Amino acid sequence: MSSTTESSSPDPKVLNFGVLLIHNYQWLDAAGCIDYLNNHSYGALKLINADPHFLATVPIMNWHYLSSTGDLKDVPASAGPPHHPTTTFAECPELDYLVVPGPDPTGQLSEECIKFVQERFPTLKGLLTICTGSVAMAQTGILDGVQAASNKWALGMLAKAGLLNRKVKWVGDKRFVKDGKVWTGAGVTAGIDLAAEFARVHFSKEVVEFVQDISEYVPNPAQPDPFARLLEGVKLD
């Protein structure tokens, strides 16, 4: 069961998003990206009586929240209330996209989680990671040879400690990166910019501009990235 299942519309397109909830994930990583993306959905726009023309062009978005341990126990975030998963790895329905907010960059994924990601990745339309979510996904091998952004402070810390996965082509001077079907955001708030770029690519200009207005947000471009200075002198490859 998903946490959000919107009412039907005339022949709407349906997108199923999975959100991987890893213990102590950064709350804003998840909330910023998810909420901004969902503002482009049929349900969100219908709720505020948006132009019917918009409703004919946007999808229904269903959100499925996955526990990193494969059970339905509440998962704590870095702040805010615990999040209750809506499905297990074994029972998760087919997904179009998987969203991964960032956990502790030195934490290890469970074998069950790694197996789930490896099995699902080939059938996904896209993977979206925010902050250290890309560091976590690097453990699965699916980012080998892929250009990816991540939290710059975390990348620097891992590189200096000799713990950085160098099979990934880490990008240290961009707010977000798209490489094939992999979308990666840099540190925390970059998740909103990642969502805005995803929307720019997938939705009409009119809908995108309308959501920016109702969100009162001006998305940042991938470059210049003012936080690139955090990795000056740090070797990532």
Side-chain angles (χ1 to χ4, degrees), residues 144-168:
D144 288 1
V146 175
Q147 294 185 68
S150 193
N151 181 283
K152 296 173 184 62
W153 178 87
L155 288 179
M157 180 269 293
L158 292 171
K160 292 172 185 176
L163 299 175
L164 187 64
N165 185 329
R166 298 185 184 276
K167 294 181 180 180
V168 181

Side-chain angles (χ1 to χ4, degrees), residues 9 12-13 40-43 45 53-60 203 207:
S9 67
K13 181 179 180 181
H40 300 81
S41 72
Y42 178 88
L45 293 176
H53 172 69
F54 291 168
L55 300 180
T57 66
V58 297
I60 287 174
F203 306 121
V207 168

Side-chain angles (χ1 to χ4, degrees), residues 152-224:
K152 296 173 184 62
W153 178 87
L155 288 179
M157 180 269 293
L158 292 171
K160 292 172 185 176
L163 299 175
L164 187 64
N165 185 329
R166 298 185 184 276
K167 294 181 180 180
V168 181
K169 296 180 179 178
W170 298 110
V171 177
D173 62 351
K174 290 186 178 181
R175 188 90 170 141
F176 53 82
V177 175
K178 180 182 183 298
D179 188 349
K181 66 178 183 179
V182 176
W183 302 67
T184 53
V188 191
T189 58
I192 304 175
D193 296 323
L194 181 73
E197 176 64 10
F198 181 93
R200 185 191 68 79
V201 170
H202 288 88
F203 306 121
S204 72
K205 181 180 179 180
E206 292 77 15
V207 168
V208 167
E209 290 178 348
F210 179 71
V211 170
Q212 289 178 12
D213 285 345
I214 63 173
S215 304
E216 297 190 14
Y217 187 71
V218 177
N220 296 293
Q223 289 181 309

